Amino acid sequence: MIVTMHIGRRMVTLVTAACLTLGVVGCATGPDQPDTVAEEFAAALDSGDAASAAALTTDPAAAEEMISGLFEGLGNDDPTVTVAGIGDGDTFDLDVSWSFGEERDWSYRTTGSAMEDPAEETDDDDGWRVRWDPAVLAPQLSEGASLRYTPTTGTPPTIFDSAGQPLMSEQIVTLVNLDSSADPAVVAPLLATAAPTITADSLAADLEAAAGAPMTAVVLREADLAPVEEQLSALPGVTLAPQPRLLTANRDLSSPVWSGLDEMWHENQAATAGWAVQSVAADGTVRSIAGVDPTEAPDLHTTIDPDLQSRAEATLASFDRPAVIVGIDADTGAVRTVAQNAAADLEGPVALTGLYPPGSTFKVATTSAALQAGLAEPDTMLPCPGVATVGDRTIPNDESFDLGEVPLHTAFANSCNTTMAGLAVDMPSTALTEAALQFGLGVDYVTPGLVTVTGNVPPMETGAARVEGAIGQGQVTASPFGMALVAASIAGGKTPLPTIVEGQPATADQEVAPAPADTIAALRTMMRETVTDGTASELSDFSELIGKTGTAEYGGNNGAADNVSGAHGWFIGAQDNLAFAVFIAGADSSAPAVGAAGEWLGR
């Protein structure tokens, strides 16, 4: 029985399922001309129908296996196949092309032949079949051989730190896979040499959760695998699967920055990759028969300072709550350090994108706005009562300390909430927003290799909103990265474009002129006083260090859904060209952040 169907742009004649079930011998008739069988064979291949194409040959079983294997090996069952011509006698040519993606096309011509099949003879006509030969599908394809498509890459590039030493590189790791026949009591002691948290009970639980499917118990670097590889390989139910992976040279370094660099590395690999169609002979010999060679992906030279990064991670390791240090070169925007501890890792890349009330560190923006508006000078005498009612808000200082009337610079150094609230209440609604933007806070940056959020300082339409905003509460939020950028803007005189890969600075979603030079100079002086005689005097022995402390309340009156309340601790500052922000979640005061800064800077 013959069925005529429309497939794509052709009318194709296909053998029905009943014919396929019975085989060629069981069919009453076949295509009645060599050109007809060639057209039908080409149409079936073009539609990706291995069974129908195979049924038109003299050896359907072998042909279907080979055609299906070709589709699988090339990862593509959608070739374009047309009859290029019919030769003398029973020969025909096929034009075949495959597309493996943009600018990855492989085209060729093959020659086949048809023959009359005596089993198809009838009183009226003879049946014709394609004489089965794998070479009709692709050049150099023969019985026992196969073709496969594969992307190809050059020498894996290296990611370097600012000292020119490898930071990340492609290394071979081994997946230790277990199936249900593995004995956790035997496997666990071997794996625990590299992963102490693995126990027989934990492996048994993982195997039970896998419900009979294989599971990966651990991924080991070469140095960790070597001492136990022979023993693991001999155990039933254990399979070792090596694979390449981008890893840090120093396994102890951990940063949310690595994921962005990893993505950039893989993008460069993909952009420079070549491709190949390979012929695999029956004896395993591999030879490329088509494709384009890869180019070399560039090495990435990052701005990460390995010493600062290592010290930051060591400093934060002792905290049992999320803790972060971000360091930025104030002149160039080079990101020197992005470190966060294990507790922070559980919440995501909080160093770069976590948004929190910045508390009193935001007073640098409030003071800048006041100076630019002419509301005060550094020496202007202003009240700093322990508690003040400003508009319809009552604002206390920390533990309600009262300084009486003091110069603005003294109120700043001692972090007087009441002074800042009094300055901000009558400011325009956009004053704090504009002052923050001058320091990069609220600007969106697209930085190659780095995903960041700086913060949000919306216009504040009411006096109450400005009172809260003046002390970094209410609607004001910032990330540790954003506050490090604020410190860099003050230390360097303008907001630098963040950079994590040398030569590839960020682009900003808006251009904002920096604060006036005299305003920034005044802020530097007040931030130095904060260190020598103010709330960060614990660090007074650090020469040239400038800074601003911050305690930021959360929850309670700030509207936390679970009504949990407390305070985060902040310290931002700069020494020489290194600007930074230290953030300790739930620290209840700025003291832990100040202490962490001192340890990191080399006390």
Side-chain angles (χ1 to χ4, degrees), residues 263-276:
E263 182 177 350
M264 192 174 185
W265 186 91
H266 280 94
E267 287 175 351
N268 287 347
Q269 282 284 76
T272 58
W275 61 278

Side-chain angles (χ1 to χ4, degrees), residues 227-470:
V228 295
E229 182 174 10
E230 185 175 349
Q231 294 165 278
L232 286 171
S233 298
L235 295 178
V238 177
T239 304
L240 303 181
Q243 63 176 226
R245 187 171 294 186
L246 187 65
L247 298 175
T248 55
N250 181 349
R251 72 170 69 207
D252 295 328
L253 290 183
S254 175
S255 172
V257 165
W258 302 165
S259 62
L261 294 175
D262 182 287
E263 182 177 350
M264 192 174 185
W265 186 91
H266 280 94
E267 287 175 351
N268 287 347
Q269 282 284 76
T272 58
W275 61 278
V277 174
Q278 299 173 332
S279 172
V280 184
D283 63 1
T285 303
V286 177
R287 185 163 56 91
S288 291
I289 61 175
V292 175
D293 290 336
T295 57
E296 294 295 327
D299 292 330
L300 299 179
H301 295 268
T302 77
T303 60
I304 292 294
D305 184 309
D307 182 52
L308 289 174
Q309 181 71 28
S310 180
R311 281 161 39 193
E313 293 187 19
T315 296
L316 301 176
S318 62
F319 288 94
D320 61 0
R321 60 188 70 244
V324 167
I325 295 176
V326 177
I328 298 176
D329 188 294
D331 289 336
T332 66
V335 177
R336 299 302 186 195
T337 305
V338 180
Q340 57 183 50
N341 65 355
D345 288 341
L346 295 175
E347 299 185 7
V350 297
L352 301 173
T353 60
L355 293 177
Y356 308 92
S360 292
T361 59
F362 188 74
K363 289 173 183 175
V364 296
T366 304
T367 302
S368 178
L371 293 172
Q372 292 181 66
L375 299 178
E377 297 291 335
D379 293 325
T380 300
M381 299 297 292
L382 297 168
C384 176
V387 178
T389 298
V390 182
D392 58 0
R393 291 300 309 275
T394 298
I395 298 295
N397 288 332
D398 185 30
E399 298 185 352
S400 300
F401 72 83
D402 188 337
L403 298 183
E405 290 247 340
V406 293
L408 173 59
H409 63 82
T410 301
F412 179 96
N414 288 277
S415 205
C416 288
N417 291 337
T418 53
T419 304
M420 296 296 157
L423 288 170
V425 67
D426 293 324
M427 289 181 182
S429 62
T430 60
L432 294 178
T433 304
E434 293 167 357
L437 288 171
Q438 290 175 328
F439 299 143
L441 194 61
V443 177
D444 284 334
Y445 296 94
V446 177
T447 309
L450 196 67
V451 176
T452 62
V453 176
T454 58
N456 184 39
V457 184
M460 301 169 201
E461 302 298 336
T462 66
R466 290 188 290 277
V467 166
E468 291 179 343

